Amino acid sequence: MTKVIKELNKWKAIRKSDVFLNKTVGLVPTMGALHDAHLALIKKSIQQNDITVVTIFVNPTQFNNQKDFKNYPITIKEDLSKLKKLNVDFLLNPSYEDIYPDNYEYKVVESNLSKILCGKFRPGHFDGVLTVVLKLLNLVKPDRAYFGEKDYQQLKLIEGLVKAFFIDTKIVSLPTVRTKEGLALSSRNLRLSEEQKIKAVEFPKSLASSLSNDKIKSLLRKKGFKVEYIEQIDNRRFGAVYLGNVRFIDNVKI
Ligand code: PAF
């Protein structure tokens, strides 16, 4: 039975109760519109912990573009039935007012990794991500928290957050889940037309190719993508592109 909790006061009381006594806890933070990549994280948490808590909170502070926030897909009914099927213990689905009693006057700011790649093009994005993740870690107090490698920069920043603030949670990461054609699963894919979905496959394909970053950029532009960045750091190539008004990010080990 999945227990759905919306109010943080209720949640805090349950978290302190005997239900959690001597139990290991896994946290899977999400913004909903759950797909197979989320489900892989949830299954891993169920495997590794006594209790699994999934959070669904479309976090406004991590959207630097209000239109993108407004257009973010919300599929709470479908999400809940997926969670019930997996027998997830708790769904925490809080309000903005509960999560931000300070109206975002307090925030976590990282000054190095958060300023490059996506951070360069989405000012304030990672402040919002790190702030909400810190709040969720404090609220759920999990032994383990689960994140996908598709958001590799986010993953590395969250690992840094946990280390910097002595948070007693192990960050567990899982590889990017892709369609059989190679497109990384993302909630934003719901906003693609069938034609765009076919075209979108060119993006991960080109990232994994042996072409230079510049060649990849011009190839993708010719195919109708708007390219934000293609960059290599160590042995990983990162990219962000748009098809229409849908933004994709991806990264591959090379
Ligand atoms: O990756 C996401 O879905 C979000 O950035 C997260 C980690 C749930 C924070 O809002």
Side-chain angles (χ1 to χ4, degrees):
M1 238 320 249
T2 305
K3 269 214 173 84
V4 182
I5 298 174
K6 287 177 175 288
E7 287 138 44
L8 286 187
N9 277 341
K10 243 191 213 163
W11 166 255
K12 283 184 204 158
I14 294 178
R15 184 61 185 90
K16 269 194 205 143
S17 74
D18 283 356
V19 173
F20 282 86
L21 197 66
N22 298 326
K23 296 279 200 282
T24 56
V25 180
L27 166 67
V28 186
T30 80
M31 298 206 296
L34 301 180
H35 48 64
D36 284 353
H38 294 117
L39 301 187
L41 297 173
I42 294 168
K43 284 178 192 161
K44 194 70 180 176
S45 171
I46 291 172
Q47 225 176 64
Q48 295 186 328
N49 302 281
D50 300 321
I51 295 180
T52 289
V53 181
V54 174
T55 61
I56 295 183
F57 178 66
V58 184
N59 176 35
T61 66
Q62 71 188 73
F63 288 84
N64 55 315
N65 175 338
Q66 276 312 296
K67 217 166 154 196
D68 191 24
F69 173 55
K70 292 262 151 65
N71 286 335
Y72 202 82
I74 294 181
T75 59
I76 191 80
K77 241 171 106 182
E78 291 86 343
D79 292 350
L80 184 57
S81 76
K82 287 176 189 172
L83 298 179
K84 282 184 172 161
K85 245 191 212 149
L86 291 179
N87 213 8
V88 165
D89 301 282
F90 291 98
L91 166 62
L92 190 55
N93 178 212
S95 65
Y96 174 83
E97 289 72 24
D98 267 9
I99 289 287
Y100 288 101
D102 60 326
N103 206 15
Y104 199 42
E105 285 172 7
Y106 289 79
K107 61 180 84 166
V108 179
V109 179
E110 192 275 352
S111 57
N112 186 16
L113 175 57
S114 71
K115 305 298 177 201
I116 62 170
L117 303 173
C118 285
K120 203 155 105 189
F121 294 89
R122 301 186 71 191
H125 166 65
F126 288 117
D127 300 353
V129 170
L130 293 174
T131 303
V132 82
V133 169
L134 179 62
K135 286 170 186 266
L136 296 172
L137 291 172
N138 283 335
L139 286 162
V140 176
K141 299 181 184 60
D143 296 277
R144 300 180 186 85
Y146 296 80
F147 297 89
E149 280 185 4
K150 186 187 74 77
D151 299 295
Y152 196 82
Q153 190 178 7
Q154 167 176 284
L155 168 67
K156 292 293 137 187
L157 282 162
I158 292 168
E159 286 173 355
L161 171 84
V162 162
K163 202 167 164 210
F165 292 102
F166 311 107
I167 298 167
D168 211 5
T169 296
K170 181 175 163 47
I171 302 302
V172 181
S173 62
L174 288 190
T176 304
V177 180
R178 298 179 181 280
T179 62
K180 63 179 189 313
E181 292 80 19
L183 183 63
L185 298 195
S186 161
S187 303
R188 286 188 171 86
N189 295 355
L190 288 175
R191 288 168 48 205
L192 293 174
S193 67
E194 283 314 306
E195 197 188 317
Q196 283 175 323
K197 258 182 214 160
I198 294 167
K199 202 188 256 188
V201 174
E202 295 297 330
F203 173 44
K205 223 165 139 185
S206 66
L207 279 185
S209 73
S210 55
L211 296 173
S212 69
N213 294 343
D214 283 344
K215 283 256 165 62
I216 293 174
K217 281 184 208 168
S218 64
L219 183 96
L220 289 173
R221 280 185 185 127
K222 263 189 214 138
K223 295 198 166 166
F225 289 83
K226 190 179 133 203
V227 179
E228 212 168 61
Y229 68 83
I230 304 288
E231 278 186 47
Q232 191 180 329
I233 299 179
D234 300 329
N235 61 348
R236 209 167 267 273
R237 183 140 54 190
F238 297 83
V241 296
Y242 282 86
L243 264 184
N245 60 3
V246 183
R247 183 177 186 271
F248 304 83
I249 60 168
D250 205 341
N251 68 86
V252 295
K253 213 166 170 188
I254 48 175

